[in-house]
Amino acid sequence: MKKPIFTGSGVAIITPFNEQGVDFDKFKELIEWHIAEGTDAIIVCGTTGESATLPMDEHKALIKCCVEQVNGRIPVIAGAGSNDTRHAIGTSQYAEEVGADALLSVVPYYNKTTQKGLYEHFKAIASSTNLPIILYNVPGRTVLDMAPTTVKALSEIENIVGIKECNFTHVGEIRKLCGPDFAIYSGEDANVLPLLAMGGLGVISVMANIIPRDTHDIVAKFMAGDIEGSRELQLGVLDLVHALFIEASPSPVKEAMNMMGMGVGNCRLPLVPMEPVNKEFLSRTLKAYGLI
């Protein structure tokens, strides 16, 4: 039986920047806020953390900083994927070395391998580390969709324990093929409750960067049998989710955090500041939710 890394809300935490680079003091402050607000796990150096524009020294420093700051209070899941299998192995081994609890490993992007290639890629990573691995299927960014049958084959590898799934049409089939011991997490904030209803365990979330308590509660209420309470929260965040993805994430969520007075800096190029009309829409939505 595979033990899930977490149940509930895992925040795909942003990376705060200042003029010198990564703002580690702000990063630590955000970690403490998340723990106080009930976030169930922290995913560091994921897509929302702008891993694509983090040089390896920053990537490693962020993982190490996160592990040390959390200090065992909740799981730390290190983003360690790559479209270069050797690179992914090196990052995964580093994360294990510094004490991360698990890995998030994304479907390799750009190369456009086959389903067999996906299997061999993740098998090689899994064999290189003792850490549990959560797969990450996000075809909107990788232009490659991992088939449920491939997920099934990978689930038979001992330390591949779950998936962050962004293609909701796969969720039911993955649950049927892989059984209840294989953890499924939503990769889409608008679909947390439907995924839970299909046997999922939670979400790896962008919106948790600004509403950590509500994101936690969507899952916690469902798991406690308060389906109506979970539904009310899920429906209540839909406008906010729309605003947070009106442009490529994480530009809107970082803008939202800055509007809320968190001072997390801007995104790195090629991401740019939001268009004024979209920024105004975001501002109105945050006000309607009571965040500013």
Side-chain angles (χ1 to χ4, degrees), residues 171 175 183-185 195-202 222-223:
V171 172
R175 184 66 165 76
I184 307 173
Y185 301 101
L195 181 132
L196 295 174
M198 296 290 282
L201 293 185
F222 183 94
M223 294 299 183

Side-chain angles (χ1 to χ4, degrees), residues 33-54:
W33 180 61
H34 277 290
I35 292 173
E37 287 292 307
T39 293
D40 300 289
I42 294 181
I43 294 81
V44 58
C45 297
T47 305
T48 313
E50 298 180 71
S51 57
T53 52
L54 291 173

Side-chain angles (χ1 to χ4, degrees), residues 5-6 41-46 59 63 67 75-82 87-106 121-122 124-136 159-164 183 185 204:
I5 305 305
F6 74 98
I42 294 181
I43 294 81
V44 58
C45 297
H59 195 126
I63 294 172
V67 169
V76 172
I77 301 166
S82 174
H87 184 85
I89 287 171
T91 308
S92 299
Q93 291 173 336
Y94 176 81
E96 181 174 13
E97 178 186 325
V98 298
D101 297 289
L103 304 169
L104 183 70
S105 196
V106 70
H121 171 80
F122 288 118
I125 295 169
S127 67
S128 75
T129 176
N130 293 313
L131 286 181
I133 296 171
I134 299 172
L135 307 171
Y136 179 17
N159 60 330
I160 295 182
V161 300
I163 188 168
K164 175 184 178 182
Y185 301 101
I204 295 177

Side-chain angles (χ1 to χ4, degrees), residues 14-164:
I14 64 100
T15 300
F17 295 122
N18 57 25
E19 293 168 357
Q20 286 72 49
V22 175
D23 186 343
F24 285 98
D25 289 338
K26 177 62 66 174
F27 185 61
K28 294 174 186 178
E29 180 185 312
L30 292 173
I31 289 169
E32 291 303 318
W33 180 61
H34 277 290
I35 292 173
E37 287 292 307
T39 293
D40 300 289
I42 294 181
I43 294 81
V44 58
C45 297
T47 305
T48 313
E50 298 180 71
S51 57
T53 52
L54 291 173
M56 187 46 60
D57 60 336
E58 289 183 342
H59 195 126
K60 288 182 174 180
L62 278 160
I63 294 172
K64 188 172 187 290
C65 176
C66 191
V67 169
E68 291 175 350
Q69 188 67 29
V70 170
N71 194 26
R73 288 175 286 175
I74 58 176
V76 172
I77 301 166
S82 174
N83 64 336
D84 174 357
T85 307
R86 292 174 301 172
H87 184 85
I89 287 171
T91 308
S92 299
Q93 291 173 336
Y94 176 81
E96 181 174 13
E97 178 186 325
V98 298
D101 297 289
L103 304 169
L104 183 70
S105 196
V106 70
V107 164
Y109 37 88
Y110 191 79
N111 309 55
K112 298 183 76 172
T113 187
T114 62
Q115 295 297 310
K116 181 180 178 181
L118 289 178
Y119 178 83
E120 294 298 336
H121 171 80
F122 288 118
K123 180 183 175 184
I125 295 169
S127 67
S128 75
T129 176
N130 293 313
L131 286 181
I133 296 171
I134 299 172
L135 307 171
Y136 179 17
N137 188 42
V138 55
R141 286 186 181 264
T142 65
V143 200
L144 182 60
D145 193 9
M146 184 157 55
T149 50
T150 304
V151 178
K152 165 61 176 171
L154 288 166
S155 74
E156 294 170 2
I157 296 172
E158 183 177 2
N159 60 330
I160 295 182
V161 300
I163 188 168
K164 175 184 178 182

Side-chain angles (χ1 to χ4, degrees), residues 6 9 21 41 68 94 96 99 164 172 185 215-216 220 231 239 249 274:
F6 74 98
S9 169
E68 291 175 350
Y94 176 81
E96 181 174 13
K164 175 184 178 182
Y185 301 101
T215 310
H216 164 86
R231 181 187 298 118
D239 288 346
S249 186
M274 295 180 72

Side-chain angles (χ1 to χ4, degrees), residues 207-265:
M207 68 182 178
N209 280 284
I210 58 172
I211 51 166
R213 177 64 62 180
D214 285 353
T215 310
H216 164 86
D217 284 352
I218 290 172
V219 183
K221 286 180 181 293
F222 183 94
M223 294 299 183
D226 182 5
I227 308 303
E228 185 55 40
S230 179
R231 181 187 298 118
E232 183 179 351
L233 283 171
Q234 177 73 87
L235 294 174
V237 303
L238 293 182
D239 288 346
L240 192 61
V241 172
H242 177 56
L244 291 177
F245 290 91
I246 197 168
E247 291 187 12
S249 186
S251 291
V253 74
K254 289 188 96 171
E255 186 61 57
M257 295 173 79
N258 288 329
M259 289 177 181
M260 293 166 63
M262 293 184 175
V264 298

